[in-house]
Structure formats: structure tokens, C-alpha cells
Amino acid sequence: MIRNPEGFARLLAEVRQFVRTECMPLEAQVDQTDEIPPAIVERMRSLGLFGHSIPEAYGGAGLTSEELSLVNIEVSQCATTFRARFGGNTGIASESLVVDGTESQKKTWLPRLASGEVTGCFALTEPDAGSDATALTTTAVLDGDDYVINGRKCFITNAPIADLFTVFARTDASAKGAAGISAFLIPRGTPGLSTPPAYRKMGQHGSPVGEVVLQDCRVPVSAIVGGQPGQGFRTAMKALNKQRINLAGLCVGPAVRLVDEMVDRATSRRQFGQAIAEFQLVQQMIAESNVEVHAARALVLETARKRDAGEDVTMEASMCKLFASEMCGRVADRAVQVFGGGGYVADNVAERFYRDVRLFRLYEGTSQIHLVNIAKRTVALAQVRKAAE
Ligand SMILES: Cc1cc2nc3c(=O)[nH]c(=O)nc-3n(C[C@H](O)[C@H](O)[C@H](O)COP(=O)(O)OP(=O)(O)OC[C@H]3O[C@@H](n4cnc5c(N)ncnc54)[C@H](O)[C@@H]3O)c2cc1C
């Protein structure tokens, strides 16, 4: 749903301008230095990029799912690391609060997340709890009016620079699986919470990812998202369900850019006396990529509209994430092929995107996990339909 087409067109044009004129020229520099210049982060704040998904009542733009998807397709047409700087705040790092936070928690944190004053992160994964996040072993033990948290989170986007951590821990040691897990809001500076230096990664340089260590970290009972223990896994799934549509949009943007880059290269590079774009086998790579971009974009926008209409899109969100991330990987692979040897050399645009987008098939549910979930839901829905006949 697009609420105000004219106003939204202006917002989109402003984002597009920022991406093209301020971020794209810095892509190679950020890849090499592993840092987004502070002036660019300040521009992200002034453009309101940190608050797009946060409700207007708390200082954000309150974008609908369709609006947010269109913005995501724009912001991810430059190196995806730029979007990762504010993407937590406008995605999983704020969504738990938006969907399940108490009024007091929302008032305390959402305006600061929306303005970008505070950077948030979502700390679910652990060394022995990845795809099976319900296996998490971080504990939160009640001690008077406080919980004492112990455990270690890994692969947490923005952990090294975050000011606010949404940490998932087991509050009921006797409960198995998803039950007995609670989400805690923990500000940086809380004794017992520390973040080691960021990992060195394959791609998305400039987007710090690292561990969160919790050692006798004492937080008040009021730090539980929503105030009630035991609801944390449900909260995480609600946040991730929306995030999957966001992420799918973020997979479309790089593919749009790479089709443009492929066309530029194919029309300017000459071999055998003609532009390589005139060879049908090169045309096939461009055409297949463009078709897939259009298919993914259509799927993402259709799912976002359904979500805006209040429909349950759990399965469709999984399909979006799976299809768009796999599509983006295929397009990046073809882009390297169209660039030839140059596509394998550092600082080439295809080489950089190839590394950067590899992550999309891994986080927020691997492709295999989404396939398994889609299959389960497809079978279950077929059985329901059969029973109703
Ligand atoms: C750069 C980066 C940023 C991240 N950011 C965050 C973050 O901000 N917050 C956060 O909480 N987490 C984050 N993650 C963690 C990410 O969500 C996990 O890496 C992901 O869920 C996979 O878990 P794993 O790495 O432990 O892999 P594993 O679960 O060990 O999976 C390994 C392989 O086994 C397959 N597999 C596992 N189970 C099944 C199954 N049932 N059926 C079929 N195949 C299966 C997987 O698909 C995969 O191919 C991030 C990860 C990375 C790399």
C-alpha cells in the first residue's frame, strides 16, 4: 500500500539521489577501508533512513511494507554495506520493540533508533544455535528484581558499534525449544556485556559483525521486551517474518544494479570485432538476469501488499527471501562472467557484489531452512484444503 503517492515519490527520489551521488562513488573506498565515513552516516540520519519502518508516533516514517520494499530496492543498488549501517534500526533491531514492546520501552528507545542517535542490533544466534535458534543456551536467571544473563552470541550485525542489544536468553531452564525464551533490551555500558572486535569477512566490508559476550550481566525485570517472560521466540519470529520481505527487497536492488553494469560492459567491450552484447550467449546472461529481477521484484511487492492488507504471509515471505537471495547470487555470478577476467579482479564492481551478496543466502534463514519451511507449509495447506472438500 502506498499511502501518499506524490509524497512517497519525493522520498524515493531523495533516496535515489543519495545512493547514486553520495554512496556509489565511495563503494571501493569503503570496501578497502572497512569503514563508512562518519559524514555519510550523518547524512543517513538527516535523510531519516534509520527510521523508515518505525511508526510515526515514535519519530519514524511508518512506511508500509510496500513502501519499505520500494525503498529497500533503491538503497541496495549501491554496495549493500551502506544499507547495513541503518538497516538494523529499520528492520530486526527495532521490529521486536515495535511489535511487542511495552509503551514505556517504545517511548524510551524507538525515537532514538528512528533518529539514528542509537544503533540497535538483534542478538539471537549462538555458536551452537544457528539454524536451530531454539537450541540457544544463553541463560537469564531471576535474582530479586533483576535477571542475571550469561552466554555468548555470534555473527551479530552491528554488535561492535551497537548502543542497544536485543538479546534472546532462556528464562525457564526447564522449558525446551521455543518455550522459556525471553528477549531483553540491554544498553551498551551495562556491566557484563562486552563486544570483541569485528570479524574479518568475505564481503560487506564496512558493516561490522561480531560477538556479544554476556558475563553475569545484570538487567532489571523491566528489560524484557513486552514485560512478560517466555514470549521472546514468538517476538523474534514476528520480527523475522517482516524482515524476510525487507531482505528480499535488498536482494533485488543489487541485481538491478548488476544488470545495468552487465549492459554497460557488454555494449562497450569489443571482441572479434564487435561489442560482446551482440553475441547471443552474452545476451542470454543479460536476458535471464533481467527476467529474474522482474520476477523477484513482482513477488516482493505482491507479498508486501498482502501483508499491508493484513493477510498471513508467513509462507510467501519465506518464498520471497529464498527466491530473491538465490536470484541475486545467480545474477552476481553472471555479472562476473560478462566482465570476463576483469570480473575476478579486486575492485571490479561485479567482483565486489559477488562477495557482498553471498551473505543473503545464509542469514535470516538459510536457503535450505526456507525450502524446508515452504515444503512443510505447502503440504499442510494441501491437507487442509483436502479435508475441507
Ligand atoms: C555476516 C552475518 C551477519 C549475521 N547477522 C546476524 C544478526 O544480526 N543476528 C543474529 O542473530 N544472527 C545473525 N547471523 C547469523 C545467521 O542468521 C546464521 O549464520 C544462520 O542462521 C545460519 O546458522 P549457522 O551459521 O549456525 O549455520 P548452521 O545452522 O550450522 O547451518 C549449516 C548448514 O546446514 C544447513 N542446515 C541446517 N539445518 C538444516 C535443516 N534442518 N535442513 C537442511 N539443511 C540444514 C544450513 O542450511 C547450512 O547450509 C549473521 C550471520 C552472518 C554470516
Side-chain angles (χ1 to χ4, degrees):
M1 177 177 44
I2 296 177
R3 298 157 302 164
N4 165 2
E6 275 181 25
F8 183 65
R10 275 197 300 278
L11 182 148
L12 216 48
E14 194 177 48
V15 169
R16 185 174 303 141
Q17 173 86 354
F18 171 66
V19 164
R20 277 156 209 268
T21 63
E22 298 181 57
C23 300
M24 279 185 192
L26 293 174
E27 287 175 329
Q29 177 192 317
V30 169
D31 187 45
Q32 282 160 19
T33 60
D34 205 7
E35 191 196 9
I36 298 178
I40 290 288
V41 179
E42 209 38 59
R43 283 283 293 140
M44 291 168 176
R45 292 192 179 105
S46 69
L47 287 166
L49 293 177
F50 283 87
H52 274 159
S53 71
I54 294 175
E56 287 168 294
Y58 303 102
L63 296 189
T64 64
S65 293
E66 186 179 2
E67 291 167 347
L68 197 55
S69 296
L70 288 164
V71 169
N72 283 334
I73 292 171
E74 282 302 330
V75 294
S76 55
Q77 287 182 40
C78 63
T80 54
T81 187
F82 287 96
R83 172 266 156 194
R85 180 62 186 83
F86 56 83
N89 284 31
T90 197
I92 45 174
S94 66
E95 195 57 24
S96 303
L97 262 170
V98 171
V99 291
D100 280 342
T102 63
E103 194 50 34
S104 154
Q105 289 168 340
K106 289 181 185 185
K107 280 190 176 141
T108 305
W109 292 112
L110 289 178
R112 299 171 72 192
L113 286 162
S115 69
E117 174 200 338
V118 160
T119 295
C121 72
F122 179 91
L124 177 65
T125 304
E126 296 181 2
D128 291 324
S131 296
D132 182 7
T134 61
L136 66 82
T137 56
T138 294
T139 55
V141 177
L142 195 58
D143 182 27
D145 289 339
D146 295 333
Y147 276 100
V148 179
I149 306 181
N150 279 288
R152 180 178 280 265
K153 299 289 177 177
C154 62
F155 303 140
I156 307 304
T157 301
N158 283 335
I161 57 165
D163 308 291
L164 179 65
F165 300 75
T166 304
V167 171
F168 294 83
R170 199 167 282 288
T171 38
D172 181 352
S174 64
K176 291 251 174 327
I181 293 173
S182 305
F184 290 87
L185 293 167
I186 313 182
R188 185 179 289 281
T190 304
L193 182 150
S194 60
T195 54
Y199 305 115
R200 286 181 61 235
K201 312 192 293 321
M202 174 192 287
Q204 302 214 1
H205 298 153
S207 166
V209 178
E211 297 192 348
V212 181
V213 179
L214 299 133
Q215 222 167 3
D216 292 330
C217 180
R218 186 173 280 273
V219 296
V221 170
S222 60
I224 292 185
V225 174
Q228 290 297 319
Q231 305 299 312
F233 200 72
R234 210 166 302 150
T235 300
M237 288 305 112
K238 283 188 213 167
L240 283 169
N241 197 13
K242 178 172 183 199
Q243 179 62 17
R244 281 165 185 155
I245 306 175
N246 292 344
L247 187 65
L250 296 166
C251 295
V252 174
V256 169
R257 166 82 178 276
L258 287 169
V259 170
D260 287 347
E261 297 285 353
M262 273 191 243
V263 169
D264 275 0
R265 177 67 180 171
T267 49
S268 59
R269 171 72 173 167
R270 296 180 70 80
Q271 287 295 281
F272 299 98
Q274 54 186 319
I276 61 168
E278 289 174 42
F279 298 119
Q280 289 182 334
L281 292 177
V282 174
Q283 290 170 4
Q284 181 180 10
M285 290 191 273
I286 294 171
E288 284 180 348
S289 299
N290 205 14
V291 169
E292 290 199 274
V293 166
H294 278 69
R297 190 176 187 278
L299 181 61
V300 171
L301 294 179
E302 171 70 7
T303 305
R305 281 185 213 110
K306 281 188 179 173
R307 187 175 187 280
D308 287 337
E311 290 182 39
D312 176 1
V313 292
T314 308
M315 182 166 79
E316 285 89 340
S318 244
M319 288 176 166
C320 282
K321 198 279 178 179
L322 173 71
F323 182 73
S325 60
E326 291 284 336
M327 173 283 294
C328 190
R330 287 191 293 272
V331 170
D333 187 65
R334 290 186 200 113
V336 171
Q337 199 69 14
V338 168
F339 271 83
Y344 191 71
V345 172
D347 292 343
N348 175 282
V349 65
E351 181 267 347
R352 194 179 56 245
F353 270 101
Y354 183 82
R355 287 185 283 112
D356 287 350
V357 305
R358 186 62 185 82
L359 177 59
F360 292 148
R361 287 185 270 164
L362 292 168
Y363 68 1
E364 290 168 27
T366 64
S367 294
Q368 290 71 31
I369 293 298
H370 285 289
L371 280 166
V372 168
N373 288 343
I374 292 164
K376 274 188 198 151
R377 280 194 176 252
T378 305
V379 170
L381 285 174
Q383 283 169 345
V384 168
R385 262 202 314 274
K386 223 175 188 164
E389 278 168 11

